Amino acid sequence: MKLASNVIFFCTLGLVTLFAASNANAAFTVTQAQLDKAVPDRVGTGSCASSECATNPRALVSINKAIAKYGITRKSEVVALIALMAFESSDWLYNINNTPGVPGQGTRAMISPGFVAEYAQKLHPDQAAKAVSVVDKLQLVLNDDDSFGSAFWYLVTKAPQYHGNESRLRAGNAADFQDYVVNGVHGGWEPKRGDVWTRVNTAFN
């Protein structure tokens, strides 16, 4: 009986360990309520007046697809990337750099033309090979899934030192977000970026 009890104990322990490991590696999922609180200007289907603008219901689908595609398991990374995109696109209002107007720069993360070209080549190699200009290549990745996915692609492929690193992009750490913007994305810092991150971080907590 003692041997049987030990077998049951270790089997149960093994299942619990396996379940815990599985959960730790599961992709994080954003809810509609979280995104609506994080980006309140785009709540509902009537919150956009232009074709370039995206509503939160549209954004949610593509953001969750990107999280699963690129294996994002930490909520803090999701918060950082949503905050980055919300700032760069003025809360999903823009998909292309219209002001000052940099040809070929766009997606919700407003990645530079060089990265746009690389991203388009990765996702749509045949069409990208035929694209004549950076503007043509940008057009290939302006659909919702690719556009919202660009920030996740960049994190995993261009700034991997921030992905899955427990010492960076830590939960609730505004300084870590600033570090990512300045040293990971190589963008300029301004207080409004911090304000957007705080709004998004609050929505997820």
Side-chain angles (χ1 to χ4, degrees), residues 102-106 110-119 134-135 137-138:
V102 178
Q105 182 176 18
M110 290 297 157
I111 56 178
S112 66
F115 288 129
V116 164
E118 187 175 344
Y119 187 47
V134 290
V135 174
K137 291 178 181 179
L138 175 59

Side-chain angles (χ1 to χ4, degrees), residues 12-199:
T12 303
L13 182 61
L15 288 172
V16 170
T17 302
L18 182 62
F19 179 76
S22 176
N23 278 350
N25 293 321
F28 181 80
T29 301
V30 179
T31 68
Q32 190 69 67
Q34 287 171 325
L35 193 61
D36 284 348
K37 188 174 179 181
V39 189
D41 285 353
R42 300 292 167 250
V43 174
T45 57
S47 59
C48 281
S50 70
S51 59
E52 193 174 345
C53 178
T55 61
N56 281 342
R58 278 174 52 190
L60 181 70
V61 174
S62 296
I63 287 171
N64 279 328
K65 283 182 181 179
I67 290 171
K69 180 177 181 178
Y70 293 103
I72 309 299
T73 60
R74 295 198 302 157
K75 180 173 68 172
S76 55
E77 290 182 17
V78 175
V79 167
L81 298 183
I82 289 177
L84 177 76
M85 291 191 291
F87 175 84
E88 295 291 350
S89 68
S90 294
D91 292 340
W92 323 146
L93 182 60
Y94 301 112
N95 210 13
I96 297 171
N97 185 333
N98 297 300
T99 305
V102 178
Q105 182 176 18
T107 73
R108 301 300 173 184
M110 290 297 157
I111 56 178
S112 66
F115 288 129
V116 164
E118 187 175 344
Y119 187 47
Q121 179 64 36
K122 175 67 177 178
L123 297 183
H124 309 286
D126 293 338
Q127 295 115 302
K130 298 174 184 177
V132 176
S133 67
V134 290
V135 174
D136 294 332
K137 291 178 181 179
L138 175 59
Q139 292 299 318
L140 298 175
V141 293
L142 291 182
N143 64 83
D144 283 348
D145 287 352
D146 293 348
S147 188
F148 282 102
S150 64
F152 297 87
W153 168 82
Y154 185 95
L155 171 68
V156 172
T157 63
K158 298 303 171 184
Q161 67 273 28
Y162 291 88
H163 174 46
N165 186 339
E166 295 299 330
S167 66
R168 288 181 158 171
L169 289 179
R170 291 165 293 186
N173 196 310
D176 279 8
F177 176 63
Q178 182 172 350
D179 173 52
Y180 180 64
V181 170
V182 175
N183 299 307
V185 178
H186 306 293
W189 181 259
E190 56 184 276
K192 188 177 178 182
R193 285 187 182 274
D195 295 340
V196 173
W197 177 87
T198 298
R199 186 185 74 200

